[in-house]
Amino acid sequence: MNGKRVFIQEVATRDGFQNEAQFVDTDAKIALVNKLSECGYAKIEVTSFTSPKAIPALRDAEAVMHEIKRNEGVVYTVLVPNVRGAERALSCGVDEVNLVMSVSESHNRTNLRMSREQSFAQLNDVINVVKQTKVAINVSLSTAMGCPMEGDIAQEDVLSWMERFAQIGVHGVTLCDTTGMAFPSQVGSLCTAARQKFPDLELTLHFHNTRGMALANTLAALEAGIDRFDSSLGGLGGCPYAPGATGNVCTEELVHMLELDGYKTGVNLTEILSASALLPQLIGHDVPSQLLKAGRRLDLHSMPCLAKDGLPEQQAFSAGA
Ligand code: COA
Ligand code: ZN
């Protein structure tokens, strides 16, 4: 048992809900965040202060942020694209703002409608506003491990954007595999380089499970010294501006795997499974979580009743019919 601490950051109410066609009622969002606040997460990304035209699903960001019950042990963060978003977020007393831009020019133009240099200039303005407060600043670098329009992204490009943000005083950087293009050896190499180059930055990895590699990528990141992961309850998630994007790594599957391997996440698996079970009702469809369907590894089943020939009764009957 390794006993290593791993920090889990829930993103379902932001990365998850931003992508849902069915609007989740404000009260339901608040109730879900309140429930998640008691589950042992290090951080919860509650919502985003984006343009309501761009992301109508999160148009109630102020109401949600104002009305949730905060737990002192949890950092409440929100996604912010520009100064307007930062001002809205600061007026709600958030603990952290999570700024966003893409490492790929094409994805940045699609998602944020501007060039990367324009984004950087704008985020620099945001940082100058937020630095006058005690609110922490994280920047999420989208498409850091592949772009659905440009393909491979050079590791040096990712490191050089990290460098630019480190120089202007962000406390954390999240490397996002926005459309699940990352693979384990790539993740290992990028994380090792990032850890070495920026030992003082709080580094988060953000995987999507688009091609089924999110848990494998997590293990590769852990081996490279990463201890902080975004994940989404039920495996919800996806970027409306990234073709083919699907859910984040599923929180309950991530916690289940990590706890089996002896990591300490602080997250109560029973509680998050019960929260995940509420999601289909809220969003109007099934969720990707396999753990929710299969149960935990040692959630055992009673033996089926056996007939005299040793086959389950149902089978014995049909075999003889
Ligand atoms: N909050 C609220 N409204 C905002 C806003 C913000 N943070 N930023 C811009 N707006 C409004 C403007 O007031 C304007 O409204 P109007 O049409 O009624 O005048 C409208 O949005 C367009 O503003 P503009 O400055 O021209 O921005 P844009 O259309 O180029 O949009 C973004 C830029 C980044 C604000 C917008 O595309 C956005 O919010 N995207 C969301 C990105 C995202 O969250 N993606 C998924 C996660 S990675
Ligand atoms: Zn994402």
Side-chain angles (χ1 to χ4, degrees), residues 11-24 29 48 54-58 111 178 208 210 232 235-248 283 285 288:
V11 300
T13 52
R14 197 281 296 171
D15 209 338
F17 287 170
Q18 77 182 6
N19 208 36
E20 292 299 330
Q22 181 171 312
F23 182 76
V24 178
K29 285 176 180 142
S48 75
I55 310 281
L58 302 180
N111 191 30
T178 310
H208 280 256
T210 319
S232 178
L236 297 189
C239 173
Y241 302 102
T246 53
N248 293 76
I283 57 177
H285 61 83

PDB file of all heavy atoms in Angstrom, residues 11-24 29 48 54-58 111 178 208 210 232 235-248 283 285 288:
ATOM      1  N   VAL A  11     -15.322  18.285 -11.640  1.00  0.00           N
ATOM      2  CA  VAL A  11     -15.664  19.270 -12.680  1.00  0.00           C
ATOM      3  C   VAL A  11     -17.042  19.029 -13.333  1.00  0.00           C
ATOM      4  O   VAL A  11     -17.385  19.705 -14.297  1.00  0.00           O
ATOM      5  CB  VAL A  11     -14.582  19.345 -13.795  1.00  0.00           C
ATOM      6  CG1 VAL A  11     -13.226  19.739 -13.220  1.00  0.00           C
ATOM      7  CG2 VAL A  11     -14.473  18.032 -14.565  1.00  0.00           C
ATOM      8  N   ALA A  12     -17.829  18.098 -12.766  1.00  0.00           N
ATOM      9  CA  ALA A  12     -19.098  17.733 -13.439  1.00  0.00           C
ATOM     10  C   ALA A  12     -20.041  18.920 -13.613  1.00  0.00           C
ATOM     11  O   ALA A  12     -20.697  19.041 -14.648  1.00  0.00           O
ATOM     12  CB  ALA A  12     -19.809  16.633 -12.667  1.00  0.00           C
ATOM     13  N   THR A  13     -20.094  19.800 -12.620  1.00  0.00           N
ATOM     14  CA  THR A  13     -21.076  20.886 -12.737  1.00  0.00           C
ATOM     15  C   THR A  13     -20.590  21.990 -13.693  1.00  0.00           C
ATOM     16  O   THR A  13     -21.373  22.860 -14.075  1.00  0.00           O
ATOM     17  CB  THR A  13     -21.413  21.489 -11.349  1.00  0.00           C
ATOM     18  OG1 THR A  13     -20.193  21.847 -10.685  1.00  0.00           O
ATOM     19  CG2 THR A  13     -22.187  20.496 -10.504  1.00  0.00           C
ATOM     20  N   ARG A  14     -19.315  21.936 -14.110  1.00  0.00           N
ATOM     21  CA  ARG A  14     -18.829  22.880 -15.137  1.00  0.00           C
ATOM     22  C   ARG A  14     -18.597  22.136 -16.468  1.00  0.00           C
ATOM     23  O   ARG A  14     -19.371  22.254 -17.391  1.00  0.00           O
ATOM     24  CB  ARG A  14     -17.554  23.595 -14.654  1.00  0.00           C
ATOM     25  CG  ARG A  14     -17.229  24.852 -15.454  1.00  0.00           C
ATOM     26  CD  ARG A  14     -16.576  24.600 -16.787  1.00  0.00           C
ATOM     27  NE  ARG A  14     -15.247  23.979 -16.656  1.00  0.00           N
ATOM     28  CZ  ARG A  14     -14.565  23.507 -17.688  1.00  0.00           C
ATOM     29  NH1 ARG A  14     -15.068  23.547 -18.913  1.00  0.00           N
ATOM     30  NH2 ARG A  14     -13.393  22.935 -17.514  1.00  0.00           N
ATOM     31  N   ASP A  15     -17.557  21.317 -16.519  1.00  0.00           N
ATOM     32  CA  ASP A  15     -17.231  20.635 -17.782  1.00  0.00           C
ATOM     33  C   ASP A  15     -18.386  19.714 -18.201  1.00  0.00           C
ATOM     34  O   ASP A  15     -18.668  19.542 -19.386  1.00  0.00           O
ATOM     35  CB  ASP A  15     -15.937  19.821 -17.593  1.00  0.00           C
ATOM     36  CG  ASP A  15     -15.144  19.666 -18.879  1.00  0.00           C
ATOM     37  OD1 ASP A  15     -15.734  19.792 -19.957  1.00  0.00           O
ATOM     38  OD2 ASP A  15     -13.931  19.396 -18.804  1.00  0.00           O
ATOM     39  N   GLY A  16     -19.062  19.134 -17.201  1.00  0.00           N
ATOM     40  CA  GLY A  16     -20.180  18.234 -17.483  1.00  0.00           C
ATOM     41  C   GLY A  16     -21.413  18.990 -17.957  1.00  0.00           C
ATOM     42  O   GLY A  16     -21.870  18.806 -19.097  1.00  0.00           O
ATOM     43  N   PHE A  17     -21.917  19.865 -17.130  1.00  0.00           N
ATOM     44  CA  PHE A  17     -23.190  20.516 -17.450  1.00  0.00           C
ATOM     45  C   PHE A  17     -23.088  21.460 -18.651  1.00  0.00           C
ATOM     46  O   PHE A  17     -24.075  21.692 -19.348  1.00  0.00           O
ATOM     47  CB  PHE A  17     -23.737  21.261 -16.228  1.00  0.00           C
ATOM     48  CG  PHE A  17     -24.275  20.352 -15.149  1.00  0.00           C
ATOM     49  CD1 PHE A  17     -24.622  20.851 -13.905  1.00  0.00           C
ATOM     50  CD2 PHE A  17     -24.446  18.992 -15.381  1.00  0.00           C
ATOM     51  CE1 PHE A  17     -25.126  20.021 -12.909  1.00  0.00           C
ATOM     52  CE2 PHE A  17     -24.950  18.141 -14.394  1.00  0.00           C
ATOM     53  CZ  PHE A  17     -25.283  18.666 -13.149  1.00  0.00           C
ATOM     54  N   GLN A  18     -21.895  22.027 -18.925  1.00  0.00           N
ATOM     55  CA  GLN A  18     -21.786  22.981 -20.051  1.00  0.00           C
ATOM     56  C   GLN A  18     -22.159  22.332 -21.381  1.00  0.00           C
ATOM     57  O   GLN A  18     -22.492  22.997 -22.348  1.00  0.00           O
ATOM     58  CB  GLN A  18     -20.366  23.552 -20.143  1.00  0.00           C
ATOM     59  CG  GLN A  18     -19.347  22.604 -20.767  1.00  0.00           C
ATOM     60  CD  GLN A  18     -17.926  23.166 -20.822  1.00  0.00           C
ATOM     61  OE1 GLN A  18     -17.655  24.231 -20.290  1.00  0.00           O
ATOM     62  NE2 GLN A  18     -17.030  22.454 -21.462  1.00  0.00           N
ATOM     63  N   ASN A  19     -22.092  21.012 -21.386  1.00  0.00           N
ATOM     64  CA  ASN A  19     -22.240  20.259 -22.621  1.00  0.00           C
ATOM     65  C   ASN A  19     -23.623  19.616 -22.748  1.00  0.00           C
ATOM     66  O   ASN A  19     -23.901  18.939 -23.726  1.00  0.00           O
ATOM     67  CB  ASN A  19     -21.168  19.156 -22.603  1.00  0.00           C
ATOM     68  CG  ASN A  19     -20.742  18.754 -23.965  1.00  0.00           C
ATOM     69  OD1 ASN A  19     -20.665  19.588 -24.859  1.00  0.00           O
ATOM     70  ND2 ASN A  19     -20.474  17.474 -24.139  1.00  0.00           N
ATOM     71  N   GLU A  20     -24.478  19.793 -21.754  1.00  0.00           N
ATOM     72  CA  GLU A  20     -25.780  19.113 -21.748  1.00  0.00           C
ATOM     73  C   GLU A  20     -26.848  19.960 -22.441  1.00  0.00           C
ATOM     74  O   GLU A  20     -26.931  21.167 -22.222  1.00  0.00           O
ATOM     75  CB  GLU A  20     -26.220  18.827 -20.296  1.00  0.00           C
ATOM     76  CG  GLU A  20     -25.360  17.807 -19.596  1.00  0.00           C
ATOM     77  CD  GLU A  20     -25.375  16.433 -20.297  1.00  0.00           C
ATOM     78  OE1 GLU A  20     -26.402  16.082 -20.916  1.00  0.00           O
ATOM     79  OE2 GLU A  20     -24.357  15.731 -20.227  1.00  0.00           O
ATOM     80  N   ALA A  21     -27.654  19.280 -23.235  1.00  0.00           N
ATOM     81  CA  ALA A  21     -28.726  19.977 -23.944  1.00  0.00           C
ATOM     82  C   ALA A  21     -29.825  20.394 -22.961  1.00  0.00           C
ATOM     83  O   ALA A  21     -30.416  21.468 -23.080  1.00  0.00           O
ATOM     84  CB  ALA A  21     -29.298  19.061 -25.020  1.00  0.00           C
ATOM     85  N   GLN A  22     -30.088  19.530 -21.994  1.00  0.00           N
ATOM     86  CA  GLN A  22     -31.174  19.820 -21.036  1.00  0.00           C
ATOM     87  C   GLN A  22     -30.632  20.740 -19.944  1.00  0.00           C
ATOM     88  O   GLN A  22     -29.625  20.416 -19.306  1.00  0.00           O
ATOM     89  CB  GLN A  22     -31.646  18.497 -20.419  1.00  0.00           C
ATOM     90  CG  GLN A  22     -32.792  18.656 -19.429  1.00  0.00           C
ATOM     91  CD  GLN A  22     -33.358  17.285 -19.034  1.00  0.00           C
ATOM     92  OE1 GLN A  22     -33.626  16.445 -19.886  1.00  0.00           O
ATOM     93  NE2 GLN A  22     -33.533  17.066 -17.753  1.00  0.00           N
ATOM     94  N   PHE A  23     -31.290  21.874 -19.737  1.00  0.00           N
ATOM     95  CA  PHE A  23     -30.848  22.810 -18.695  1.00  0.00           C
ATOM     96  C   PHE A  23     -31.107  22.190 -17.324  1.00  0.00           C
ATOM     97  O   PHE A  23     -32.213  21.743 -17.037  1.00  0.00           O
ATOM     98  CB  PHE A  23     -31.603  24.135 -18.835  1.00  0.00           C
ATOM     99  CG  PHE A  23     -31.176  25.177 -17.835  1.00  0.00           C
ATOM    100  CD1 PHE A  23     -29.977  25.861 -18.007  1.00  0.00           C
ATOM    101  CD2 PHE A  23     -31.952  25.452 -16.723  1.00  0.00           C
ATOM    102  CE1 PHE A  23     -29.564  26.814 -17.076  1.00  0.00           C
ATOM    103  CE2 PHE A  23     -31.550  26.407 -15.792  1.00  0.00           C
ATOM    104  CZ  PHE A  23     -30.355  27.093 -15.971  1.00  0.00           C
ATOM    105  N   VAL A  24     -30.063  22.150 -16.514  1.00  0.00           N
ATOM    106  CA  VAL A  24     -30.232  21.629 -15.156  1.00  0.00           C
ATOM    107  C   VAL A  24     -30.674  22.792 -14.274  1.00  0.00           C
ATOM    108  O   VAL A  24     -30.000  23.831 -14.221  1.00  0.00           O
ATOM    109  CB  VAL A  24     -28.906  21.021 -14.632  1.00  0.00           C
ATOM    110  CG1 VAL A  24     -29.070  20.515 -13.202  1.00  0.00           C
ATOM    111  CG2 VAL A  24     -28.432  19.900 -15.561  1.00  0.00           C
ATOM    112  N   LYS A  29     -28.668  22.248  -9.339  1.00  0.00           N
ATOM    113  CA  LYS A  29     -27.217  22.448  -9.374  1.00  0.00           C
ATOM    114  C   LYS A  29     -26.700  22.734  -7.957  1.00  0.00           C
ATOM    115  O   LYS A  29     -25.691  22.172  -7.522  1.00  0.00           O
ATOM    116  CB  LYS A  29     -26.851  23.634 -10.276  1.00  0.00           C
ATOM    117  CG  LYS A  29     -26.960  23.352 -11.766  1.00  0.00           C
ATOM    118  CD  LYS A  29     -26.663  24.629 -12.536  1.00  0.00           C
ATOM    119  CE  LYS A  29     -26.746  24.425 -14.033  1.00  0.00           C
ATOM    120  NZ  LYS A  29     -27.333  25.542 -14.748  1.00  0.00           N
ATOM    121  N   SER A  48     -19.123  28.219 -14.822  1.00  0.00           N
ATOM    122  CA  SER A  48     -18.236  29.129 -15.556  1.00  0.00           C
ATOM    123  C   SER A  48     -18.929  30.463 -15.769  1.00  0.00           C
ATOM    124  O   SER A  48     -20.147  30.529 -15.950  1.00  0.00           O
ATOM    125  CB  SER A  48     -17.815  28.518 -16.898  1.00  0.00           C
ATOM    126  OG  SER A  48     -18.843  28.560 -17.841  1.00  0.00           O
ATOM    127  N   ALA A  54     -22.771  31.847 -25.398  1.00  0.00           N
ATOM    128  CA  ALA A  54     -21.846  30.766 -25.752  1.00  0.00           C
ATOM    129  C   ALA A  54     -22.165  29.503 -24.959  1.00  0.00           C
ATOM    130  O   ALA A  54     -22.137  28.393 -25.495  1.00  0.00           O
ATOM    131  CB  ALA A  54     -20.408  31.203 -25.505  1.00  0.00           C
ATOM    132  N   ILE A  55     -22.432  29.656 -23.662  1.00  0.00           N
ATOM    133  CA  ILE A  55     -22.678  28.491 -22.797  1.00  0.00           C
ATOM    134  C   ILE A  55     -23.985  28.717 -22.017  1.00  0.00           C
ATOM    135  O   ILE A  55     -23.969  29.044 -20.814  1.00  0.00           O
ATOM    136  CB  ILE A  55     -21.496  28.267 -21.799  1.00  0.00           C
ATOM    137  CG1 ILE A  55     -20.132  28.266 -22.500  1.00  0.00           C
ATOM    138  CG2 ILE A  55     -21.699  26.990 -20.975  1.00  0.00           C
ATOM    139  CD1 ILE A  55     -19.745  26.969 -23.214  1.00  0.00           C
ATOM    140  N   PRO A  56     -25.132  28.556 -22.695  1.00  0.00           N
ATOM    141  CA  PRO A  56     -26.404  28.836 -22.007  1.00  0.00           C
ATOM    142  C   PRO A  56     -26.657  27.936 -20.797  1.00  0.00           C
ATOM    143  O   PRO A  56     -27.340  28.339 -19.854  1.00  0.00           O
ATOM    144  CB  PRO A  56     -27.466  28.612 -23.103  1.00  0.00           C
ATOM    145  CG  PRO A  56     -26.761  27.968 -24.247  1.00  0.00           C
ATOM    146  CD  PRO A  56     -25.304  28.223 -24.106  1.00  0.00           C
ATOM    147  N   ALA A  57     -26.073  26.749 -20.799  1.00  0.00           N
ATOM    148  CA  ALA A  57     -26.316  25.803 -19.702  1.00  0.00           C
ATOM    149  C   ALA A  57     -25.840  26.342 -18.357  1.00  0.00           C
ATOM    150  O   ALA A  57     -26.325  25.918 -17.304  1.00  0.00           O
ATOM    151  CB  ALA A  57     -25.620  24.481 -19.999  1.00  0.00           C
ATOM    152  N   LEU A  58     -24.899  27.314 -18.405  1.00  0.00           N
ATOM    153  CA  LEU A  58     -24.338  27.833 -17.144  1.00  0.00           C
ATOM    154  C   LEU A  58     -24.675  29.315 -16.962  1.00  0.00           C
ATOM    155  O   LEU A  58     -23.950  30.060 -16.305  1.00  0.00           O
ATOM    156  CB  LEU A  58     -22.823  27.584 -17.103  1.00  0.00           C
ATOM    157  CG  LEU A  58     -22.411  26.107 -17.235  1.00  0.00           C
ATOM    158  CD1 LEU A  58     -20.890  25.946 -17.182  1.00  0.00           C
ATOM    159  CD2 LEU A  58     -23.058  25.238 -16.156  1.00  0.00           C
ATOM    160  N   ASN A 111     -12.969  27.999 -29.875  1.00  0.00           N
ATOM    161  CA  ASN A 111     -13.557  28.044 -28.533  1.00  0.00           C
ATOM    162  C   ASN A 111     -13.707  29.469 -28.022  1.00  0.00           C
ATOM    163  O   ASN A 111     -14.711  29.817 -27.407  1.00  0.00           O
ATOM    164  CB  ASN A 111     -12.648  27.242 -27.587  1.00  0.00           C
ATOM    165  CG  ASN A 111     -13.282  26.983 -26.238  1.00  0.00           C
ATOM    166  OD1 ASN A 111     -14.497  26.880 -26.124  1.00  0.00           O
ATOM    167  ND2 ASN A 111     -12.463  26.896 -25.213  1.00  0.00           N
ATOM    168  N   THR A 178      -8.215  17.715 -23.987  1.00  0.00           N
ATOM    169  CA  THR A 178      -9.598  18.140 -24.235  1.00  0.00           C
ATOM    170  C   THR A 178     -10.420  17.106 -24.997  1.00  0.00           C
ATOM    171  O   THR A 178     -11.616  16.954 -24.764  1.00  0.00           O
ATOM    172  CB  THR A 178      -9.565  19.483 -25.005  1.00  0.00           C
ATOM    173  OG1 THR A 178      -8.679  20.349 -24.302  1.00  0.00           O
ATOM    174  CG2 THR A 178     -10.928  20.114 -25.122  1.00  0.00           C
ATOM    175  N   HIS A 208      -9.791  13.468 -20.680  1.00  0.00           N
ATOM    176  CA  HIS A 208     -11.098  13.012 -21.179  1.00  0.00           C
ATOM    177  C   HIS A 208     -10.934  11.565 -21.640  1.00  0.00           C
ATOM    178  O   HIS A 208      -9.855  11.152 -22.068  1.00  0.00           O
ATOM    179  CB  HIS A 208     -11.569  13.913 -22.326  1.00  0.00           C
ATOM    180  CG  HIS A 208     -12.159  15.196 -21.838  1.00  0.00           C
ATOM    181  ND1 HIS A 208     -13.518  15.442 -21.824  1.00  0.00           N
ATOM    182  CD2 HIS A 208     -11.583  16.298 -21.302  1.00  0.00           C
ATOM    183  CE1 HIS A 208     -13.744  16.649 -21.319  1.00  0.00           C
ATOM    184  NE2 HIS A 208     -12.584  17.193 -20.991  1.00  0.00           N
ATOM    185  N   THR A 210     -12.321   9.969 -24.133  1.00  0.00           N
ATOM    186  CA  THR A 210     -12.863   9.835 -25.494  1.00  0.00           C
ATOM    187  C   THR A 210     -12.435   8.542 -26.188  1.00  0.00           C
ATOM    188  O   THR A 210     -13.204   7.942 -26.923  1.00  0.00           O
ATOM    189  CB  THR A 210     -12.413  11.054 -26.334  1.00  0.00           C
ATOM    190  OG1 THR A 210     -12.516  12.216 -25.515  1.00  0.00           O
ATOM    191  CG2 THR A 210     -13.247  11.220 -27.575  1.00  0.00           C
ATOM    192  N   SER A 232     -14.826  13.898 -13.492  1.00  0.00           N
ATOM    193  CA  SER A 232     -16.228  14.291 -13.554  1.00  0.00           C
ATOM    194  C   SER A 232     -17.138  13.152 -13.108  1.00  0.00           C
ATOM    195  O   SER A 232     -17.020  12.016 -13.591  1.00  0.00           O
ATOM    196  CB  SER A 232     -16.553  14.705 -14.992  1.00  0.00           C
ATOM    197  OG  SER A 232     -17.902  15.040 -15.096  1.00  0.00           O
ATOM    198  N   GLY A 235     -18.731  10.524 -15.278  1.00  0.00           N
ATOM    199  CA  GLY A 235     -18.012  10.577 -16.562  1.00  0.00           C
ATOM    200  C   GLY A 235     -18.641  11.577 -17.524  1.00  0.00           C
ATOM    201  O   GLY A 235     -18.434  11.512 -18.737  1.00  0.00           O
ATOM    202  N   LEU A 236     -19.406  12.550 -16.981  1.00  0.00           N
ATOM    203  CA  LEU A 236     -19.960  13.611 -17.841  1.00  0.00           C
ATOM    204  C   LEU A 236     -18.831  14.452 -18.400  1.00  0.00           C
ATOM    205  O   LEU A 236     -17.712  14.399 -17.909  1.00  0.00           O
ATOM    206  CB  LEU A 236     -20.856  14.545 -17.013  1.00  0.00           C
ATOM    207  CG  LEU A 236     -22.102  13.988 -16.355  1.00  0.00           C
ATOM    208  CD1 LEU A 236     -22.916  15.145 -15.782  1.00  0.00           C
ATOM    209  CD2 LEU A 236     -22.930  13.215 -17.359  1.00  0.00           C
ATOM    210  N   GLY A 237     -19.160  15.295 -19.376  1.00  0.00           N
ATOM    211  CA  GLY A 237     -18.172  16.273 -19.813  1.00  0.00           C
ATOM    212  C   GLY A 237     -17.978  16.307 -21.306  1.00  0.00           C
ATOM    213  O   GLY A 237     -18.415  15.430 -22.041  1.00  0.00           O
ATOM    214  N   GLY A 238     -17.309  17.384 -21.738  1.00  0.00           N
ATOM    215  CA  GLY A 238     -17.056  17.552 -23.165  1.00  0.00           C
ATOM    216  C   GLY A 238     -17.105  19.012 -23.505  1.00  0.00           C
ATOM    217  O   GLY A 238     -17.759  19.789 -22.839  1.00  0.00           O
ATOM    218  N   CYS A 239     -16.358  19.374 -24.530  1.00  0.00           N
ATOM    219  CA  CYS A 239     -16.311  20.779 -24.907  1.00  0.00           C
ATOM    220  C   CYS A 239     -17.213  20.983 -26.116  1.00  0.00           C
ATOM    221  O   CYS A 239     -17.058  20.302 -27.130  1.00  0.00           O
ATOM    222  CB  CYS A 239     -14.873  21.155 -25.251  1.00  0.00           C
ATOM    223  SG  CYS A 239     -14.723  22.810 -25.919  1.00  0.00           S
ATOM    224  N   PRO A 240     -18.155  21.934 -26.025  1.00  0.00           N
ATOM    225  CA  PRO A 240     -19.059  22.156 -27.165  1.00  0.00           C
ATOM    226  C   PRO A 240     -18.307  22.613 -28.413  1.00  0.00           C
ATOM    227  O   PRO A 240     -18.850  22.557 -29.514  1.00  0.00           O
ATOM    228  CB  PRO A 240     -20.007  23.253 -26.671  1.00  0.00           C
ATOM    229  CG  PRO A 240     -19.669  23.542 -25.255  1.00  0.00           C
ATOM    230  CD  PRO A 240     -18.426  22.815 -24.885  1.00  0.00           C
ATOM    231  N   TYR A 241     -17.052  23.101 -28.240  1.00  0.00           N
ATOM    232  CA  TYR A 241     -16.295  23.605 -29.386  1.00  0.00           C
ATOM    233  C   TYR A 241     -15.152  22.674 -29.781  1.00  0.00           C
ATOM    234  O   TYR A 241     -14.181  23.090 -30.382  1.00  0.00           O
ATOM    235  CB  TYR A 241     -15.771  25.005 -29.078  1.00  0.00           C
ATOM    236  CG  TYR A 241     -16.906  25.943 -28.752  1.00  0.00           C
ATOM    237  CD1 TYR A 241     -17.196  26.285 -27.436  1.00  0.00           C
ATOM    238  CD2 TYR A 241     -17.734  26.424 -29.762  1.00  0.00           C
ATOM    239  CE1 TYR A 241     -18.272  27.110 -27.133  1.00  0.00           C
ATOM    240  CE2 TYR A 241     -18.808  27.245 -29.477  1.00  0.00           C
ATOM    241  CZ  TYR A 241     -19.079  27.582 -28.159  1.00  0.00           C
ATOM    242  OH  TYR A 241     -20.144  28.389 -27.875  1.00  0.00           O
ATOM    243  N   ALA A 242     -15.257  21.397 -29.406  1.00  0.00           N
ATOM    244  CA  ALA A 242     -14.218  20.437 -29.782  1.00  0.00           C
ATOM    245  C   ALA A 242     -14.884  19.229 -30.409  1.00  0.00           C
ATOM    246  O   ALA A 242     -15.532  18.443 -29.725  1.00  0.00           O
ATOM    247  CB  ALA A 242     -13.415  20.027 -28.552  1.00  0.00           C
ATOM    248  N   PRO A 243     -14.757  19.098 -31.743  1.00  0.00           N
ATOM    249  CA  PRO A 243     -15.431  17.983 -32.424  1.00  0.00           C
ATOM    250  C   PRO A 243     -15.071  16.640 -31.786  1.00  0.00           C
ATOM    251  O   PRO A 243     -13.906  16.368 -31.525  1.00  0.00           O
ATOM    252  CB  PRO A 243     -14.864  18.058 -33.842  1.00  0.00           C
ATOM    253  CG  PRO A 243     -14.328  19.442 -33.998  1.00  0.00           C
ATOM    254  CD  PRO A 243     -13.968  19.923 -32.639  1.00  0.00           C
ATOM    255  N   GLY A 244     -16.072  15.843 -31.471  1.00  0.00           N
ATOM    256  CA  GLY A 244     -15.831  14.493 -30.966  1.00  0.00           C
ATOM    257  C   GLY A 244     -15.510  14.410 -29.492  1.00  0.00           C
ATOM    258  O   GLY A 244     -15.269  13.326 -28.969  1.00  0.00           O
ATOM    259  N   ALA A 245     -15.505  15.537 -28.792  1.00  0.00           N
ATOM    260  CA  ALA A 245     -15.154  15.485 -27.363  1.00  0.00           C
ATOM    261  C   ALA A 245     -16.229  14.741 -26.581  1.00  0.00           C
ATOM    262  O   ALA A 245     -17.419  14.924 -26.822  1.00  0.00           O
ATOM    263  CB  ALA A 245     -15.008  16.892 -26.807  1.00  0.00           C
ATOM    264  N   THR A 246     -15.801  13.876 -25.688  1.00  0.00           N
ATOM    265  CA  THR A 246     -16.753  13.229 -24.779  1.00  0.00           C
ATOM    266  C   THR A 246     -16.248  13.376 -23.359  1.00  0.00           C
ATOM    267  O   THR A 246     -15.333  14.146 -23.099  1.00  0.00           O
ATOM    268  CB  THR A 246     -16.938  11.743 -25.126  1.00  0.00           C
ATOM    269  OG1 THR A 246     -15.653  11.148 -25.165  1.00  0.00           O
ATOM    270  CG2 THR A 246     -17.647  11.552 -26.451  1.00  0.00           C
ATOM    271  N   GLY A 247     -16.831  12.583 -22.467  1.00  0.00           N
ATOM    272  CA  GLY A 247     -16.690  12.806 -21.039  1.00  0.00           C
ATOM    273  C   GLY A 247     -15.278  12.804 -20.479  1.00  0.00           C
ATOM    274  O   GLY A 247     -14.344  12.233 -21.027  1.00  0.00           O
ATOM    275  N   ASN A 248     -15.176  13.467 -19.321  1.00  0.00           N
ATOM    276  CA  ASN A 248     -13.929  13.449 -18.544  1.00  0.00           C
ATOM    277  C   ASN A 248     -13.728  12.060 -17.960  1.00  0.00           C
ATOM    278  O   ASN A 248     -14.655  11.259 -17.904  1.00  0.00           O
ATOM    279  CB  ASN A 248     -14.046  14.412 -17.359  1.00  0.00           C
ATOM    280  CG  ASN A 248     -14.141  15.843 -17.789  1.00  0.00           C
ATOM    281  OD1 ASN A 248     -15.178  16.294 -18.242  1.00  0.00           O
ATOM    282  ND2 ASN A 248     -13.049  16.560 -17.666  1.00  0.00           N
ATOM    283  N   ILE A 283     -30.081  15.172 -16.063  1.00  0.00           N
ATOM    284  CA  ILE A 283     -29.681  15.536 -17.431  1.00  0.00           C
ATOM    285  C   ILE A 283     -30.510  14.817 -18.500  1.00  0.00           C
ATOM    286  O   ILE A 283     -30.370  15.097 -19.680  1.00  0.00           O
ATOM    287  CB  ILE A 283     -28.167  15.266 -17.663  1.00  0.00           C
ATOM    288  CG1 ILE A 283     -27.830  13.802 -17.380  1.00  0.00           C
ATOM    289  CG2 ILE A 283     -27.312  16.190 -16.803  1.00  0.00           C
ATOM    290  CD1 ILE A 283     -26.385  13.443 -17.661  1.00  0.00           C
ATOM    291  N   HIS A 285     -30.503  11.628 -19.418  1.00  0.00           N
ATOM    292  CA  HIS A 285     -29.971  10.432 -20.102  1.00  0.00           C
ATOM    293  C   HIS A 285     -28.995   9.702 -19.192  1.00  0.00           C
ATOM    294  O   HIS A 285     -28.561  10.230 -18.163  1.00  0.00           O
ATOM    295  CB  HIS A 285     -29.324  10.797 -21.448  1.00  0.00           C
ATOM    296  CG  HIS A 285     -28.158  11.724 -21.335  1.00  0.00           C
ATOM    297  ND1 HIS A 285     -26.888  11.295 -21.041  1.00  0.00           N
ATOM    298  CD2 HIS A 285     -28.063  13.082 -21.455  1.00  0.00           C
ATOM    299  CE1 HIS A 285     -26.062  12.332 -20.998  1.00  0.00           C
ATOM    300  NE2 HIS A 285     -26.760  13.432 -21.243  1.00  0.00           N
ATOM    301  N   PRO A 288     -21.922   7.788 -18.615  1.00  0.00           N
ATOM    302  CA  PRO A 288     -20.939   6.788 -19.074  1.00  0.00           C
ATOM    303  C   PRO A 288     -20.361   5.888 -17.972  1.00  0.00           C
ATOM    304  O   PRO A 288     -19.800   4.843 -18.276  1.00  0.00           O
ATOM    305  CB  PRO A 288     -19.797   7.645 -19.660  1.00  0.00           C
ATOM    306  CG  PRO A 288     -20.370   8.988 -19.890  1.00  0.00           C
ATOM    307  CD  PRO A 288     -21.479   9.170 -18.896  1.00  0.00           C
TER     308      PRO A 288
END
